[in-house]
Amino acid sequence: MPVSIECSRVSTLSRFEVIARHDISIHIQIFMLMCGIVGYIGNREVAPLLLQGLKRLEYRGYDSAGIALLNGSLSVWKQKGCVSLLEEAFSGSAAIIKDVTIGIGHTRWATHGDPSDRNAHPHVNAEGDIALIHNGIIENHAVLRLELEKQGYSFVSETDSEVLVHLIDHLWTQIPLIDFESAVREALTLVEGTYGICVLSQREPDKLIVARQGSPLVIGVGVDEYFIASDAAPLVEYTRRVIYLHDGEMAVMRQSGFRVSTIDNIEQDAVVSELDFKLEEIEKGGFDHFMLKEIFEQPVVMRDVMRGRIRLADKTVHLGGINDHLEELRSAHRMVILACGTSWHAGLIGKYLIEEFARIPVQVDYASEFRYRNPVVGPGDVVMVISQSGETADTLAAMRMAKKRGAKVMGLCNVVGSTIARETDFGLYTHAGPEIGVASTKAFTAQVVALIMLSIALGKNRTMSDPEIAGLLDELVQVPEKAARILQRNEEILRIAERYKDASNFFYLGRGLSFPVALEGALKLKEISYIHAEGYPAAEMKHGPIALIDKELPVIFIAAQESSYKKVLSNIEEVRCRKGRVIAIATEGDREISRLAEQVIYIPHVSPPLLPLLTVIPLQLLAYHIANLRGHNVDRPRNLAKSVTVE
Ligand code: G6P
């Protein structure tokens, strides 16, 4: 860049820079729900492609949607509500949208400003010749907005995102000889916070520009065409070749090619990866909801997680991603498992198993807690981060912190190429395929299968004898078939759901490995039915929660036959004599339990370490049916997002 331009930029924007850099006090801590981004440049008619892409992103949760098309001039449609409403708004514009081959689209979940037409993305500058969509949070938006207003800019929305489009416009106008790419680049150096952006302009109509800092962006590479999305779901029907943009990178795409560089303009080698899932995997396949489809996929998913990793011939486990690190893991002072939500519950199961089989002390921490204290972690520790998406902001930050302090960091992720998967020292993929339902189901069972295999691999030559391993592996490979048998009880579980759907509280109790399952069962119900539900270790009930029990309270016991079975029966008696309504998950053939419980859901017999894989399934189905009977949108529960990528 010529010196004169640099000087000009500094003189125009020195105040911005100073303010932006010192705006630490305005560090807004917001629980941000994930919006969706799509974009395209190439030779296809873009409007239907963008709308279809936005539909594929609906599962992430949103409250408004919009698109911008570039056909000589920019045309923008955006409004509160769902993508099909946007599609309707579109139907009168056939003449304008035909033959347009460059555009961007967005689904927004309100953070700054209400869900409304004006707050929906894309945002445009006053001249209406730049359009931008943004995921993430611009933390110093208030000061930037103030500065821009002083320069004569008017804002039409209450969003933090709108500052970006005016900032680009301002820099592009103010700095002599600057081009579109440089204007975007300069703007990004002034913002603090997180972003995934996609921007286009009629002043340079042959370009689509994207950039990422803390909010995922994937570029699909076709022949003379490029697809942009915030995750791979909208891309898979067009191309399997993708580039995952890293934090601090931007890319400029023309029909004829693309260039990836850092925000500071250092050219980067773009690595093109192959997507490893099929279109059918992100469609509902005849089920009413993605969540139900994903619950029913679990037998197949369990097999996929084990595929190639369990050798029945010699009864051994081979985990490609960690084979070279087994000794390092076995000799760790301790392991620390970091995760959030459902993945945290899987982590708790991992702790029980690894401690049991490998005798390595394991601490399980909420990533959000770990990252904000001064945890004792460092060389000699192995930190395992568990994340379906591989993008959860708290998990990512906790992982980076542990790594910085010298711990070895291992990942257990589902999304291939996700940020956590890339930044860990080594790890395993769960291979559960894309999980679309916001409430996690198949990803959880896949994580548990992986943790069982890991604990066996670590336990070998420690506490576990070869015959013991052989016996457990023989059983493990039969679990998918047993899971399929539980799924056949779907109608039975629906009947139970009908009976209890109006309860306003639920209690889930279990001991040992059934305790994390109780937590997970309660979380599933909360997430999608909006009924208050609590999971508790069954024996702890007497230290307080027993006071809640009355004839209105359904209490779900996970009472499969294992070492604490008799004790759980005593806990059931305690609830019964206080008139609580007991529903039990029990092992087939258990006659005693039917005497104690109002309802029993039976699961096939399996060894205790494998129980969570089966006991969780009836709880997933129960939550699904209760939520559905209460008329809720099961796949897109209120206030939740699939992937929480900003704090
Ligand atoms: C969100 C989702 C949960 C998920 C959690 C952790 O809260 O709604 O279903 O368990 O994030 O997500 P991760 O992708 O890190 O497993």
Side-chain angles (χ1 to χ4, degrees), residues 470-640:
L472 200 54
L473 291 179
D474 278 339
E475 265 207 82
L476 181 58
V477 294
Q478 287 167 31
V479 165
E481 186 268 322
K482 293 182 179 177
R485 274 167 48 202
I486 300 173
L487 293 169
Q488 286 167 6
R489 295 186 181 275
N490 186 32
E491 283 296 315
E492 190 188 310
I493 295 168
L494 169 61
R495 299 283 94 79
I496 297 175
E498 282 165 348
R499 196 161 165 161
Y500 295 97
K501 70 176 175 27
D502 296 321
S504 26
N505 294 288
F506 270 78
F507 215 13
Y508 288 70
L509 298 173
R511 301 175 81 130
L513 281 169
S514 297
F515 162 53
V517 174
L519 293 177
E520 177 59 9
L523 180 65
K524 286 295 86 97
L525 191 72
K526 274 185 273 216
E527 284 178 312
I528 57 174
S529 73
Y530 320 143
I531 297 173
H532 168 250
E534 240 184 282
Y536 234 78
E540 275 294 301
M541 179 183 70
K542 57 183 172 294
H543 298 295
I546 198 164
L548 299 170
I549 292 168
D550 63 13
K551 63 181 178 16
E552 307 297 332
L553 185 72
V555 183
I556 300 184
F557 274 95
I558 299 137
Q561 264 151 359
E562 34 87 41
S563 59
S564 52
Y565 172 70
K566 290 281 176 209
K567 293 190 185 303
V568 175
L569 289 190
S570 311
N571 298 138
I572 296 180
E573 293 280 13
E574 285 158 13
V575 169
R576 257 170 55 94
C577 65
R578 285 162 182 86
K579 308 261 181 301
R581 305 172 70 187
V582 175
I583 304 161
I585 313 295
T587 310
E588 281 169 1
D590 182 346
R591 298 270 164 268
E592 202 172 353
I593 201 108
S594 54
R595 194 177 51 78
L596 298 175
E598 261 181 55
Q599 250 79 44
V600 183
I601 306 169
Y602 287 104
I603 58 158
H605 180 272
V606 74
S607 285
L610 311 182
L611 268 171
L613 293 172
L614 299 186
T615 49
V616 76
I617 296 174
L619 304 184
Q620 297 167 339
L621 284 170
L622 191 66
Y624 169 80
H625 288 304
I626 290 178
N628 206 23
L629 290 165
R630 287 169 75 110
H632 299 314
N633 186 337
V634 175
D635 285 332
R636 286 197 282 126
R638 71 181 182 203
N639 305 341
L640 298 182

Side-chain angles (χ1 to χ4, degrees), residues 31 339-344 386-392 395 420 435 437-440 447 523-524 527 640-644:
F31 180 84
C340 300
T342 289
S343 297
W344 189 88
I386 306 181
S387 175
Q388 185 286 127
S389 60
E391 302 291 350
T392 301
T395 313
I420 291 176
E435 189 176 65
V438 168
S440 183
Q447 288 164 345
L523 180 65
K524 286 295 86 97
E527 284 178 312
L640 298 182
K642 184 73 192 152
S643 180
V644 183

Side-chain angles (χ1 to χ4, degrees), residues 71-108:
N71 189 20
S73 61
L74 260 176
S75 310
V76 175
W77 292 259
K78 56 178 191 170
Q79 61 186 65
K80 185 177 167 184
C82 60
V83 176
S84 33
L85 283 177
L86 181 70
E87 205 166 13
E88 274 171 36
F90 239 60
S91 45
S93 318
I96 310 173
I97 62 180
K98 207 170 163 305
D99 301 330
V100 185
T101 59
I102 171 168
I104 56 180
H106 191 262
T107 47
R108 169 179 188 256

Side-chain angles (χ1 to χ4, degrees), residues 55-56 58-59 279-285 287-297 434-439 441-442 624 634-636:
K55 284 183 185 164
R56 293 232 183 273
E58 283 187 309
Y59 73 93
L279 180 58
E280 308 86 75
E281 292 182 77
I282 54 164
E283 289 182 334
K284 280 191 210 150
F287 287 91
D288 288 345
H289 296 97
F290 282 114
M291 181 180 175
L292 191 60
K293 175 187 170 239
E294 286 158 5
I295 292 172
F296 272 80
E297 275 173 1
E435 189 176 65
I436 310 289
V438 168
T441 53
K442 65 174 183 171
Y624 169 80
V634 175
D635 285 332
R636 286 197 282 126

